[in-house]
Amino acid sequence: MTVKVVEDSNFEQETNTGVTITDFWATWCGPCRMQSPVLDALSGEMDNVKFVKMDVDANPATPASFSVRAIPTLLIKKDGEVVERLTGFHNKEQLANILDKYTD
């Protein structure tokens, strides 16, 4: 699996079923550039989680609706409901452990 790029227009549709993790990021953000390869690696290992990313500069409405004030922010949803929110860089092991809580 790969990390899918989403926009304001399709965010809800892409994250309303199953377990999803959204990476809110920007091209100028150093910690975001560190987080991206971690999500890429996990997306290849965790078939039961959908990985998406959203550029906050190009898509301001969705981050604003979730009060994203710092990036990277990772939003974990299960069946469309936010179950966890993480801010800052998280390594692969940390994220895998957190995501395992929400997968069957």
Side-chain angles (χ1 to χ4, degrees):
M1 220 174 179
T2 60
V3 179
K4 182 172 184 167
V5 175
V6 295
E7 299 175 345
D8 286 337
S9 62
N10 66 346
F11 174 78
E12 284 302 323
Q13 176 185 351
E14 294 291 339
T15 63
N16 65 356
T17 58
V19 177
T20 63
I21 181 166
T22 303
D23 176 19
F24 292 98
W25 69 286
T27 57
W28 48 264
C29 169
C32 298
R33 289 193 300 270
M34 292 171 46
Q35 190 68 73
S36 187
V38 172
L39 294 169
D40 288 340
L42 281 174
S43 72
E45 298 172 13
M46 301 185 81
D47 293 334
N48 52 353
V49 177
K50 184 173 188 178
F51 291 80
V52 300
K53 65 190 300 177
M54 177 179 281
D55 183 334
V56 298
D57 290 332
N59 300 281
T62 301
S65 72
F66 288 101
S67 300
V68 172
R69 292 181 177 29
I71 52 174
T73 291
L74 303 173
L75 199 66
I76 301 170
K77 293 172 81 178
K78 184 168 185 174
D79 296 327
E81 297 296 320
V82 175
V83 292
E84 193 143 350
R85 174 192 194 103
L86 308 164
T87 303
F89 174 79
H90 289 76
N91 68 37
K92 185 177 171 186
E93 182 180 347
Q94 290 170 320
L95 282 182
N97 289 335
I98 292 166
L99 289 168
D100 281 342
K101 294 188 301 187
Y102 303 107
T103 58
D104 300 322

